[in-house]
Amino acid sequence: MKKILILIIMSFISHINAQSIVPWTEQNGTLGLGYPVPIPVDTPEAFDGFRTYDGLFSKHQSLAFTNDYITGHIVGQTRNNRDIWAYILSDEDNTTKYGIKEGAMLINGNIHAREWQTPEVMTGIMELLDANSADLSLHQYLLENTSIVVIPVNNVDGLLQTQRYPEQNVFTTSIGVRDGRMRRKNMLDVDENLSTFDDYLLGVDLNRNNNPYWASSNSSSFSPQSIVYHGPSSQSEPETQARITAAHLVDDDQIRIYTDVHSYSKVHFSVRTDNSARTTLMHNLLQDFSNHHVAFPANKYYQDSPSGPGSGIGSTDEYFALTYEVPSWTLEVEPGGGAGTEYGGFGNDGHDGFILPESHIKRVREQLSQTFMVAWYEQSGPPSITNLKIVENESTTGVKDTLIDDLSWDIQGDGSRVLYHNEVRSLIIGNTYRLIIGFDKPMRVRNEQGAIAHLQGQGGYDLDPNVTLSIGNDVINGVSGSWVNEKNESIISYNYYKDDTYVLEFTIPENITFDDNVSLSISIDVADMVGQKLDANPATVVTWANGQWQNYENDSGENSLLGGSDNSYLFTVKASDENDLPITVLATGLYFDPTRSGEGFSYELLSESKIWLQWFTYDNSGKQRWYSALGSYKANTIYIENLSQGSGGIFGNQFDSENISYSDFGSLEIIFTSPVDDGNGNLVYSAKALFKDVNGKKLRTEFKQITRVLGALPSIIIPPPSVTESKSALISGSWYNQNRSGEGYIIEVLVDNTAVVLWYTYDLDGNLMWLLDSGGTVTVDGDKINLDFDSLVVTEGGVFGAAFNADDVNRTPWGELHFSLSCSKKTGTLNYTSSINGFGSGEYSIVQLTHPLIDSSYNCDQ
Ligand SMILES: [Zn+2]
């Protein structure tokens, strides 16, 4: 009886274990979904549905082709020799805008073939960053200050197999659904034909193939037919090796976060280790992630379900958690445990959770992508102050908006920062000032009405910084301010991204206890969009190591998990400004750094606020360079947002202005300081210039005026001009030939009635070239002014930037240049003869392009 029963049961099992190909269906049935079975569409463009691998791949490739921030890298081949790609989303350099090595964010998609949600989310991340790569806010910040490494499809062979059979899989009663649409593993020893049943259970679970816990638990198996087969050895699979190669696209010390994106169950399977700091920070990070995501209208909450430390299953997140000691987890994309029922489906077979309805993928793709930006913003690092400025609102000297303090944390060669402080003059009791505070990341977002708001799902911090200004024990009350989302050529302007800068107004009270050594101290307490407080000591740069931020000081100056407030700033305060002289941008002329003879600036003040500036310098190999820009000035400060560098010109007849193009070179800020008596009763003004290249690298120089242009404003004394002076002064400015836009001549007639010319052009090979003669003679004949320059020189040998040495500059005689210009018509001619082979001689008609502000007592009619 017993025996018979066993026989009957055994024959029943063999019967029901027979494999058959069973389709998923919309209608009710064994594999009835209750919603349409998604069929991938061969298109690169995102839509309300799933794309084929080819569609996704061509999208990735076209993004890499069209967006300079996206580059593709082949990081290995699959079992079936298909390329596995990783994409780096970042700018070209490896450093932030402030010279710090970028943190890297790693994300892996579609390691399990059937989890179609994941390559869509990976692609959504790339699409989101592409669409917002010039937003001057969160996304552009991430692209320019971090390196994001995306592997959209790790298991290419597997995904292709699932898409070959989008509705079908092999079904047995005891095992359930496998292969076809429900393939999980890679294609080791598997053919691509679903109806050959001898291999349909094979393949390696790539998420059990990893160090350090490979083959150490019951959650993986030595059986090649197991759904969790861990492979013949640790990291045996080429897909595993490709992921490790992708991680090596950045340096080990850059990696700050890893996510392996799976579906489904709407959970963070985070990896715990014995490092409690890492546990705390990862918990905060996942909380910020989930709080952001649940705040979308769909209200999807991702629960953290951490592992216990010290053991594992051979998954990829364990590898990254333990190799790099960074937040590392497996994200199981929705649905939650209810699988298809979460979308109104039948839920007949729990595997339907892998089949997200087409009507939901757009939302999942777009909103999870946005939530990843939050996690990466957090792991880009806690905020720190980069610069402060103080501007006078009014002063008794009569010049508004004088910049009196300029502070900045400059990165040094050894990786630390030093606080640069240009104190133009002291604060005065009773005066009102604006304090501008710059941060190294965008600190706030705005709502649709343009008002500062908490980042979605985040809170627990004040929207305004708490800035405490105190003099001794007296705290200055009534301080209020606003975030800055405007970029313009003025002091009240953000650094690189909207709302990375805050400005507030304060008045030094009249009633403070005053003694000679009184100073104003400033303490700043603020958190970034995800609630991370400031690095209290910016002198030591925050990095990530050993599972937490390093050099992230709190108020006591100790390394911490949560940071503190920055109290690094002191300013001198005086009782009165009665001896202060007004400080303004000096008049049109030539300027140079006495320690950098052989290069210099020329600028013209064109109006009350506009300036035309040229910088005559060198490249890194000693060749001449000139840069020009139209900028702004106010009080004692010149702002140039974009210096541009021309290219495409050539000397002589071959020149064609159609070939000239311009590229951005960087920004320039020039601050004039208080004049110093030279001992002979002459006031000597100097200025401090800060050049930042397009990547934010700084060069500081200090310069003095070399030439004073006749009649130029502002001027302290305008002597009544002679007839000759009256006319010749008006030809100072920029001149050019209208058919040769892209080269020109800067002419300055000086107070001693000599003239200077700077000819900015190209050499015979098309390199930038500039020629200088500072000893021109001026003769006036009626309306005609003749300038004769007999000894133009060309220079070479200087080096751009800190390595410049004036002794390296060689000056070679170039030839002669003569002008005959009409004062009233603003037109004229020039001719030149070069003593250098090839340049020959020539003649052009020219017109005046710009003329500097000249006192009105100078005119052509005398
Ligand atoms: Zn998975």
Side-chain angles (χ1 to χ4, degrees):
M1 185 70 183
K2 210 172 182 183
K3 219 174 201 172
I4 293 167
L5 185 63
I6 289 168
L7 273 174
I8 292 168
I9 291 169
M10 282 184 70
S11 81
F12 181 67
I13 289 172
S14 81
H15 172 72
I16 60 163
N17 262 355
Q19 306 93 346
S20 56
I21 293 174
V22 177
W24 292 92
T25 56
E26 180 176 358
Q27 308 77 16
N28 214 345
T30 310
L31 298 181
L33 283 175
Y35 45 82
V37 183
I39 306 296
V41 175
D42 208 9
T43 171
E45 298 312 325
F47 73 109
D48 290 339
F50 295 89
R51 286 168 275 190
T52 61
Y53 176 70
D54 285 349
L56 293 165
F57 179 71
S58 52
K59 185 69 196 183
H60 307 150
Q61 293 289 305
S62 78
L63 291 174
F65 185 73
T66 56
N67 190 317
D68 288 343
Y69 291 114
I70 303 177
T71 50
H73 303 261
I74 296 172
V75 291
Q77 280 76 35
T78 64
R79 272 287 167 201
N80 290 337
N81 261 319
R82 295 188 175 94
D83 289 335
I84 299 171
W85 285 76
Y87 296 85
I88 298 185
L89 288 81
S90 187
D91 59 359
E92 236 168 65
D93 68 359
N94 215 17
T95 54
T96 69
K97 289 289 188 187
Y98 298 97
I100 312 298
K101 202 170 185 181
E102 291 173 353
M105 319 295 162
L106 269 53
I107 189 161
N108 185 50
N110 211 183
I111 188 171
H112 286 151
R114 61 194 173 192
E115 299 168 4
W116 291 3
Q117 289 95 316
T118 78
E120 285 290 343
V121 171
M122 298 297 106
T123 308
I125 285 168
M126 295 172 69
E127 289 164 336
L128 176 65
L129 284 162
D130 172 61
N132 294 284
S133 53
D135 71 348
L136 295 167
S137 186
L138 177 61
H139 303 88
Q140 190 174 348
Y141 161 75
L142 289 172
L143 288 166
E144 293 179 341
N145 297 273
T146 72
S147 297
I148 296 165
V149 182
V150 180
I151 307 171
V153 180
N154 192 192
N155 183 1
V156 179
D157 295 346
L159 174 62
L160 286 166
Q161 177 73 349
T162 61
Q163 296 196 329
R164 223 170 263 131
Y165 305 101
E167 296 172 288
Q168 296 174 313
N169 20 231
V170 181
F171 182 83
T172 58
T173 309
S174 60
I175 296 173
V177 287
R178 293 284 282 273
D179 209 5
R181 177 66 181 86
M182 279 302 128
R183 170 155 288 276
R184 165 183 169 102
K185 303 191 287 178
N186 77 354
M187 294 288 277
L188 175 63
D189 298 330
V190 184
D191 66 29
E192 296 176 350
N193 183 349
L194 190 61
S195 53
T196 55
F197 292 145
D198 53 329
D199 61 353
Y200 80 106
L201 293 174
L202 300 180
V204 175
D205 181 351
L206 297 171
N207 202 30
R208 297 292 184 276
N209 190 230
N210 305 275
N211 280 334
Y213 296 123
W214 180 80
S216 70
S217 100
N218 292 335
S219 296
S220 76
S221 169
F222 284 89
S223 164
Q225 298 196 326
S226 165
I227 192 79
V228 289
Y229 173 49
H230 50 49
S233 61
S234 159
Q235 302 183 358
S236 58
E237 298 313 290
E239 291 87 354
T240 303
Q241 291 152 22
R243 190 178 334 101
I244 291 167
T245 301
H248 289 146
L249 291 172
V250 293
D251 295 343
D252 288 359
D253 63 1
Q254 289 184 273
I255 295 176
R256 298 262 177 89
I257 183 172
Y258 172 81
T259 319
D260 196 16
V261 182
H262 289 245
S263 68
Y264 70 100
S265 59
K266 209 162 56 185
V267 69
H268 303 295
F269 287 125
S270 62
V271 179
R272 285 284 164 86
T273 63
D274 290 325
N275 186 323
S276 65
R278 180 185 163 281
T279 298
T280 301
L281 294 175
M282 183 164 64
H283 174 77
N284 293 350
L285 176 77
L286 295 176
Q287 201 61 58
D288 292 339
F289 185 108
S290 295
N291 289 344
H292 180 268
H293 200 70
V294 77
F296 284 111
N299 192 36
K300 303 288 183 185
Y301 187 76
Y302 282 79
Q303 187 73 44
D304 185 15
S305 177
S307 67
S311 63
I313 60 173
S315 57
T316 73
D317 55 0
E318 292 159 2
Y319 172 81
F320 285 93
L322 287 134
T323 306
Y324 298 102
E325 294 204 62
V326 295
S328 176
W329 80 106
T330 294
L331 175 78
E332 297 284 359
V333 175
E334 64 179 81
T341 59
E342 189 163 326
Y343 312 108
F346 301 125
N348 291 347
D349 183 302
H351 290 85
D352 64 350
F354 295 109
I355 305 179
L356 188 75
E358 287 182 324
S359 54
H360 286 261
I361 187 57
K362 178 176 189 287
R363 172 183 58 77
V364 169
R365 177 206 300 132
E366 292 178 356
Q367 296 180 356
L368 272 176
S369 298
Q370 291 180 51
T371 298
F372 269 106
M373 302 303 128
V374 177
W376 294 342
Y377 172 82
E378 189 156 341
Q379 290 306 98
S380 73
S384 84
I385 288 176
T386 61
N387 61 299
L388 269 78
K389 285 181 161 69
I390 294 181
V391 186
E392 286 178 337
N393 271 12
E394 307 263 1
S395 83
T396 47
T397 62
V399 179
K400 274 187 76 170
D401 298 319
T402 304
L403 177 55
I404 63 160
D405 280 287
D406 179 35
L407 295 84
S408 159
W409 288 102
D410 286 358
I411 193 84
Q412 306 295 291
D414 66 0
S416 68
R417 295 191 190 99
V418 68
L419 185 60
Y420 166 90
H421 187 170
N422 173 15
E423 187 175 37
V424 175
R425 66 169 168 233
S426 305
L427 297 156
I428 307 295
I429 58 169
N431 281 6
T432 298
Y433 300 91
R434 272 160 295 160
L435 169 66
I436 298 104
I437 308 167
F439 300 90
D440 62 350
K441 63 198 296 194
M443 295 291 283
R444 293 293 177 268
V445 287
R446 289 177 186 247
N447 61 22
E448 281 174 8
Q449 290 74 45
I452 290 289
H454 284 106
L455 184 62
Q456 176 177 308
Q458 314 298 307
Y461 55 88
D462 293 338
L463 287 173
D464 281 307
N466 296 301
V467 183
T468 308
L469 299 100
S470 43
I471 295 171
N473 293 324
D474 301 321
V475 172
I476 299 176
N477 295 314
V479 174
S480 70
S482 55
W483 291 99
V484 181
N485 68 341
E486 302 265 313
K487 180 77 174 171
N488 49 46
E489 288 176 328
S490 81
I491 294 175
I492 313 300
S493 189
Y494 62 74
N495 283 335
Y496 291 104
Y497 309 103
K498 291 173 190 170
D499 302 309
D500 70 4
T501 297
Y502 189 80
V503 58
L504 58 88
E505 197 169 274
F506 66 93
T507 302
I508 306 281
E510 305 267 8
N511 59 350
I512 56 166
T513 9
F514 191 82
D515 66 56
D516 284 346
N517 293 317
V518 75
S519 58
L520 171 76
S521 66
I522 296 184
S523 166
I524 301 152
D525 182 17
V526 63
D528 69 9
M529 289 183 226
V530 290
Q532 296 182 113
K533 287 196 164 215
L534 287 176
D535 172 15
N537 179 14
T540 56
V541 171
V542 174
T543 56
W544 181 282
N546 302 323
Q548 69 176 99
W549 302 112
Q550 305 293 327
N551 304 318
Y552 185 26
E553 287 84 7
N554 60 17
D555 288 0
S556 316
E558 294 155 349
N559 194 41
S560 70
L561 293 185
L562 302 172
S565 51
D566 186 350
N567 309 311
S568 315
Y569 313 102
L570 276 181
F571 303 86
T572 51
V573 181
K574 284 198 310 187
S576 135
D577 60 354
E578 63 190 12
N579 295 320
D580 285 350
L581 293 163
I583 315 168
T584 59
V585 169
L586 289 190
T588 298
L590 277 181
Y591 292 81
F592 85 128
D593 182 336
T595 66
R596 298 172 72 91
S597 174
E599 68 165 9
F601 296 95
S602 150
Y603 68 71
E604 292 170 50
L605 303 187
L606 302 177
S607 70
E608 296 288 311
S609 63
K610 287 290 160 199
I611 189 166
W612 171 238
L613 179 141
Q614 309 265 344
W615 187 3
F616 298 96
T617 181
Y618 303 89
D619 69 4
N620 293 326
S621 63
K623 292 207 172 79
Q624 288 186 318
R625 286 283 182 268
W626 50 264
Y627 305 99
S628 46
L630 191 63
S632 301
Y633 72 100
K634 191 162 200 182
N636 63 332
T637 309
I638 296 171
Y639 307 94
I640 307 283
E641 204 176 321
N642 277 315
L643 285 158
S644 56
Q645 174 181 325
S647 62
I650 192 154
F651 192 85
N653 292 331
Q654 301 298 310
F655 185 96
D656 182 351
S657 54
E658 296 275 302
N659 296 334
I660 304 282
S661 62
Y662 295 94
S663 54
D664 286 352
F665 182 61
S667 67
L668 189 66
E669 184 176 83
I670 300 171
I671 301 166
F672 283 81
T673 58
S674 293
V676 180
D677 195 311
D678 71 352
N680 300 318
N682 300 316
L683 292 175
V684 179
Y685 286 79
S686 62
K688 294 185 174 174
L690 171 62
F691 166 72
K692 286 191 231 166
D693 73 14
V694 290
N695 296 316
K697 192 162 187 255
K698 294 177 183 174
L699 170 69
R700 293 189 184 280
T701 113
E702 191 168 343
F703 60 73
K704 291 183 160 59
Q705 196 174 37
I706 324 177
T707 64
R708 287 203 58 194
V709 170
L710 186 62
L713 296 172
S715 179
I716 300 159
I717 312 151
I718 306 279
S722 69
V723 172
T724 305
E725 287 171 339
S726 186
K727 293 179 177 175
S728 59
L730 293 175
I731 63 162
S732 287
S734 299
W735 294 73
Y736 82 122
N737 175 291
Q738 286 159 298
N739 297 319
R740 300 175 66 84
S741 177
E743 70 166 7
Y745 311 84
I746 293 165
I747 293 170
E748 293 182 351
V749 175
L750 307 182
V751 287
D752 63 359
N753 264 312
T754 64
V756 174
V757 68
L758 272 154
W759 182 358
Y760 54 99
T761 181
Y762 298 82
D763 71 11
L764 298 167
D765 300 319
N767 301 305
L768 292 162
M769 177 176 84
W770 50 271
L771 305 166
L772 171 70
D773 188 341
S774 54
T777 57
V778 183
T779 51
V780 176
D781 177 8
D783 187 53
K784 191 176 285 178
I785 295 104
N786 296 311
L787 304 176
D788 296 296
F789 297 97
D790 296 330
S791 45
L792 265 75
V793 294
V794 62
T795 62
E796 51 90 24
V799 176
F800 185 78
F804 183 89
N805 182 344
D807 294 340
D808 296 338
V809 177
N810 298 311
R811 293 164 173 81
T812 307
W814 187 88
E816 300 180 5
L817 179 61
H818 304 280
F819 294 92
S820 179
L821 308 172
S822 160
C823 180
S824 60
K825 295 196 185 95
K826 313 290 181 201
T827 59
T829 56
L830 69 84
N831 65 77
Y832 64 87
T833 308
S834 178
S835 53
I836 295 181
N837 233 348
F839 288 96
S841 58
E843 187 170 329
Y844 303 122
S845 61
I846 54 174
V847 297
Q848 192 164 8
L849 175 67
T850 64
H851 53 88
L853 288 176
I854 299 278
D855 185 80
S856 59
S857 59
Y858 294 77
N859 62 69
C860 297
D861 303 330
Q862 295 191 25

